[in-house]
Amino acid sequence: MKHHVKDLALSGMGKKRIEWAEQDMPVLRRIKENFTKRKPLKGLNVAACLHVTTETANLAITLKAGGANVTLCASNPLSTQDDVAASLVKNYKIPVYAIKGEDNKTYYKHLNATLDTNPQMTMDDGADLVSAIISERPKLAESMVGSTEETTTGVIRLKSLAAANLLTFPVIAVNDAMTKHFFDNRYGTGQSTLDGILRATNRLVAGSTFVVVGYGWCGKGLAMRARGMGANVIVTEVDPLAALEAVMDGFRVMPMAEACKVGDFFCTVTGNLNVIRVEHFKKMRDGAIVSNSGHFNVELQLDELAKVAKSKKEAREYTEEYTMPSGRRVYVLGEGRLINLASAEGHPASVMDMSFANQALGAEFLLKNSKKLENKVYTVPEKIDREIARLKLAALGMKIDTLTKEQTKYLASWDMGT
Ligand code: ADE
C-alpha cells in the first residue's frame, strides 16, 4: 500500500488517541455500525483532503466500514498529527499522504497522490481537491459522483466556481448544515483557538485585551470564550449587521486602526486576506501576540512584516518574535496558519462528531442521488441535519418535548387570530 507519513513507529500512540476521540463521537459511531452492515459506499473511491487528526481518522474508518476505498491527504501543511497518520496506515490500512510541516511542493504532491487513485468522490476542507481537478486534472471529473466540503472558505470558493459555470459535478456544502456551523464553527473554534494560543504562549488571558477580528460564527465563539477567561474583548468587523450583533452581545467594536494600538492578543477569523497589515503591526504594543484561525494563512500580512522588521527569531515553539523599527516586539504564532490546528489539536471530538456525521451521511446522499443532482452547491438535506441533532441529543442523555396534534394543527393554520 502506497503512503507517505513521517514515521510508522508512531502508530501505537496514534491508535490510542484515535480510540480516545471515538469515545466522544457517538453519532459517528452509530453511523459506522450502520455502514458496516449496509456498505452503502461499496467500492467507491474517495479522496479526502482534510486535517489529519484523531477525529478525521474516525471519519476515514467510518467511510471504509461503509465499503469505500479512502485515501487521505492533509488540507493544511501544519495540521497533521503524525502519529494519527502512521496509525491509519499501519493499523487501519488506509493510505495517507501527510507530514506535519511539509512544504508547499510536498503538500501538492500529496494532494495529487490522492487524485491518482481516480476518485469518484472527493472530500475537501478548503476546496483544494476540487480546485486541482477543475484547473489541472479536468479528465478526472468524468468519473466523479461529486464532492463534499467541510469549511466556510471552501464553500465560498465552490460558490464562485458554480457562479462562473465552472463546477463540473455536484457538491454538498457540509459547512452549511446547522449541526455543523452552529457548533463546530462556534464552540469548536472558540475553544480550540484559545487552546492553540495558550499552548503556544502560556500567557494569561485574564485582564488582557483580546481583539477578535471578524464576527462570523468562528469570531462569535472565540469572543465568547475569550470573555469567559476574563479578557476585555474588542471586535473588529466590516459588516454593519455583524458589528451591531457584537455591540449588543456586549463587546467593544472599533476599526483595526484603533484596536491595533490597544490589543494584547489579536486573532483573525475573517476568511479574507491582509486583514492585519503592516501599518497595524507597526502600531502594536510591545509583546502583542498575533495569530490567525481562519482557513488560509493569508489574513496576516507577514511578508510585509518581515520586510519592515529589524529582526526575526524563534521565541518559543510556534512563536516567532519580530522586532519592529521602534524596538517594540510583536509575536506571530504558527506562521499565521490556523493556530487551533498548528499548535493544538483542532476542535474537540464532540463537535467534530456532528460535522463528520454530516460528511458521512452527505457522502451517502450524494452517491444515492448522483443522477438527480446538477453541477451546483447543495446543502445537506434538512432531514439528515435534524436527525444528527436528534442523535446527538440522545447521546447526551437529553430529552425534549413533542408537539401535540392540536399544536401541529395550529402552526399550520392561518384562521385563528386575536
Ligand atoms: N477542523 C477543526 N478541528 C478539526 C479536527 N479536530 N479534525 C479535523 N478537522 C478539524
Side-chain angles (χ1 to χ4, degrees):
M1 191 180 87
K2 284 203 226 163
H3 63 271
H4 192 203
V5 300
K6 185 171 179 201
D7 183 0
L8 287 181
L10 300 171
S11 62
M13 182 49 78
K15 185 161 186 290
K16 281 189 201 157
R17 295 201 317 110
I18 291 168
E19 288 166 1
W20 173 255
E22 192 199 15
Q23 287 183 28
D24 231 3
M25 303 183 87
V27 181
L28 195 64
R29 242 180 8 244
R30 237 183 108 137
I31 294 171
K32 185 171 83 173
E33 282 159 23
N34 184 283
F35 272 20
T36 305
K37 286 188 215 129
R38 293 192 299 113
K39 303 276 174 217
L41 308 177
K42 193 155 193 257
L44 186 77
N45 285 352
V46 178
C49 178
L50 302 168
H51 300 297
V52 181
T53 63
T54 53
E55 293 77 23
T56 299
N58 280 294
L59 171 64
I61 293 163
T62 302
L63 298 172
K64 186 169 175 182
N69 308 309
V70 188
T71 311
L72 179 63
C73 66
S75 58
N76 186 288
L78 262 192
S79 61
T80 299
Q81 298 171 5
D82 288 317
D83 57 343
V84 170
S87 175
L88 280 173
V89 171
K90 185 140 180 223
N91 308 117
Y92 299 95
K93 309 292 172 238
I94 293 175
V96 180
Y97 297 87
I99 297 177
K100 187 171 176 97
E102 62 196 17
D103 59 22
N104 252 28
K105 197 167 148 224
T106 312
Y107 177 85
Y108 282 103
K109 207 172 100 193
H110 286 165
L111 189 140
N112 275 297
T114 70
L115 292 181
D116 291 344
T117 62
N118 292 319
Q120 290 142 308
M121 190 179 290
T122 55
M123 259 177 203
D124 259 319
D125 186 326
D128 280 350
L129 284 176
V130 170
S131 159
I133 292 174
I134 286 174
S135 54
E136 285 150 37
R137 303 180 68 171
K139 267 216 118 0
L140 286 178
E142 287 166 19
S143 45
M144 282 279 290
V145 170
S147 181
T148 63
E149 172 54 54
E150 172 76 6
T151 201
T152 316
T153 294
V155 172
I156 291 171
R157 291 178 85 188
L158 292 162
K159 286 186 176 162
S160 302
L161 270 171
N165 274 329
L166 293 172
L167 201 55
T168 44
F169 41 81
V171 175
I172 305 283
V174 166
N175 180 71
D176 294 357
M178 292 176 281
T179 44
K180 201 281 184 181
H181 68 274
F182 287 0
F183 304 95
D184 166 318
N185 302 28
R186 182 166 38 170
Y187 304 108
T189 306
Q191 176 168 322
S192 63
T193 300
L194 275 160
D195 185 14
I197 294 170
L198 295 184
R199 288 199 208 190
T201 64
N202 197 26
R203 283 275 166 92
L204 185 71
V205 176
S208 70
T209 298
F210 196 114
V211 182
V212 174
V213 189
Y215 204 65
W217 287 103
C218 296
K220 288 191 207 342
L222 179 55
M224 175 170 59
R225 291 295 174 251
R227 173 157 68 189
M229 292 189 77
N232 294 300
V233 177
I234 293 173
V235 170
T236 70
E237 248 303 336
V238 291
D239 173 31
L241 267 177
L244 193 56
E245 204 179 352
V247 170
M248 299 227 178
D249 285 344
F251 299 111
R252 275 188 294 160
V253 173
M254 62 181 78
M256 181 53 77
E258 285 172 38
C260 68
K261 297 180 210 157
V262 293
D264 298 303
F265 293 94
F266 295 83
C267 187
T268 51
V269 268
T270 70
N272 213 333
L273 84 173
N274 293 336
V275 186
I276 298 186
R277 295 182 288 280
V278 74
E279 75 242 32
H280 305 127
F281 283 117
K282 277 182 178 163
K283 292 186 197 137
M284 285 180 186
R285 294 162 67 165
D286 185 37
I289 288 169
V290 187
S291 61
N292 163 55
S293 210
H295 184 77
F296 285 122
N297 60 332
V298 295
E299 307 209 13
L300 312 176
Q301 202 180 30
L302 293 184
D303 43 355
E304 293 302 312
L305 174 64
K307 277 188 212 155
V308 300
K310 278 203 301 196
S311 62
K312 175 183 164 191
K313 68 172 193 200
E314 186 185 60
R316 280 167 66 96
E317 203 182 5
Y318 302 111
T319 304
E320 214 76 57
E321 177 183 290
Y322 290 80
T323 303
M324 305 304 285
S326 62
R328 288 195 293 263
R329 292 156 302 176
V330 169
Y331 295 99
V332 175
L333 308 187
E335 301 164 18
R337 297 200 185 272
L338 22 74
I339 197 60
N340 60 338
L341 282 140
S343 59
E345 295 169 62
H347 305 350
S350 183
V351 278
M352 295 314 294
D353 186 28
M354 290 186 280
S355 309
F356 286 165
N358 275 291
Q359 285 283 5
L361 298 181
E364 184 182 6
F365 172 82
L366 198 50
L367 185 59
K368 258 198 203 149
N369 295 281
S370 64
K371 297 270 169 340
K372 284 187 241 160
L373 298 175
E374 295 172 46
N375 299 339
K376 286 187 185 162
V377 179
Y378 290 88
T379 41
V380 175
E382 193 175 330
K383 197 164 166 245
I384 294 180
D385 208 351
R386 289 196 180 274
E387 176 64 6
I388 291 171
R390 201 183 61 76
L391 290 172
K392 188 69 177 178
L393 266 180
L396 293 169
M398 304 285 167
K399 296 198 175 92
I400 57 172
D401 291 318
T402 40
L403 293 172
T404 62
K405 275 198 184 127
E406 183 193 34
Q407 286 170 331
T408 307
K409 194 172 161 213
Y410 176 73
L411 287 179
S413 68
W414 57 269
D415 50 345
M416 238 190 280
T418 311

